[in-house]
Amino acid sequence: MFESLIQEITELEKNIDKLFDEIKKIPDSQGELLATKLISFGIENHKLELKIEELKEKEKNLSALRKTWEENLDVLKTSCVSELKRRKLTQVQKSGHTLSILDSIFVDVIDAGEISFKWIKIKVADSVDKAGILSWFKKTGEIVSGVDIKPREHYNFK
């Protein structure tokens, strides 16, 4: 999907570099040749801009497709858990594979503004230390202000 576009962009970059090297060697006295090379340079840069926009559009489309697939996968996993529960099964084994329901809990941030600074991870952007909060909850049973501890059922496939 991206291979030919990446190849085209790479070729354009090589052409632009070559043109720029040629431009640097042209003396001022050769104004006509300089103008021709500068216009070619501008055209190649414009082509590169268009290819980059095309690449961005393909990335956007691929990202939307990936998001849809992830959402569909989540629905399928939830449906599988529901079907296993409906049949009162917690584990199925066949052909060396095991499908089992796992019960766990997770941190759901309700209001990040209420969470103590102690639980904020400092990165490029602030984020909540859900793993730390979950570990604290498991250790002490205390629910940190601004979060809720919720059960989660999911399956494991090996």
Side-chain angles (χ1 to χ4, degrees):
M1 178 180 203
F2 290 98
E3 292 83 12
S4 64
L5 187 56
I6 290 170
Q7 187 176 6
E8 290 176 47
I9 289 172
T10 302
E11 283 301 312
L12 281 167
E13 284 181 317
K14 287 178 187 175
N15 291 346
I16 290 168
D17 287 343
K18 182 181 171 193
L19 274 168
F20 191 66
D21 287 341
E22 291 173 8
I23 289 168
K24 290 190 289 186
K25 294 175 185 173
I26 298 173
D28 291 342
S29 60
Q30 294 184 347
E32 188 69 27
L33 177 60
L34 181 60
T36 301
K37 291 292 183 177
L38 285 170
I39 294 298
S40 295
F41 183 77
I43 290 169
E44 292 299 303
N45 276 322
H46 183 67
K47 287 179 186 176
L48 181 58
E49 287 173 347
L50 293 174
K51 289 297 176 184
I52 290 170
E53 287 304 314
E54 184 180 341
L55 181 62
K56 286 179 184 177
E57 187 64 27
K58 286 186 180 219
E59 287 174 330
K60 187 173 95 177
N61 292 341
L62 184 61
S63 178
L65 188 57
R66 178 195 49 79
K67 185 176 180 180
T68 299
W69 287 339
E70 287 174 341
E71 289 168 357
N72 290 345
L73 183 59
D74 287 344
V75 169
L76 291 170
K77 287 179 177 181
T78 300
S79 298
C80 182
V81 168
S82 295
E83 186 62 18
L84 287 170
K85 287 176 73 177
R86 186 183 73 78
R87 295 172 184 265
K88 297 181 177 30
L89 295 171
T90 57
Q91 187 176 59
V92 178
Q93 292 182 323
K94 179 79 174 170
S95 304
H97 296 287
T98 303
L99 180 66
S100 54
I101 296 178
L102 303 175
D103 291 321
S104 63
I105 56 176
F106 70 99
V107 173
D108 184 29
V109 176
I110 299 166
D111 183 356
E114 287 188 31
I115 298 173
S116 165
F117 188 72
K118 171 183 176 181
W119 301 111
I120 303 297
K121 290 181 182 178
I122 306 298
K123 293 182 181 180
V124 174
D126 291 349
S127 67
V128 176
D129 182 6
K130 290 182 180 181
I133 292 171
L134 189 57
S135 178
W136 178 259
F137 171 76
K138 287 178 179 178
K139 183 177 168 184
T140 67
E142 177 187 338
I143 298 176
V144 174
S145 177
V147 304
D148 193 10
I149 305 297
K150 294 185 172 182
R152 171 175 34 212
E153 294 176 326
H154 57 280
Y155 75 83
N156 184 30
F157 182 75
K158 293 181 185 176

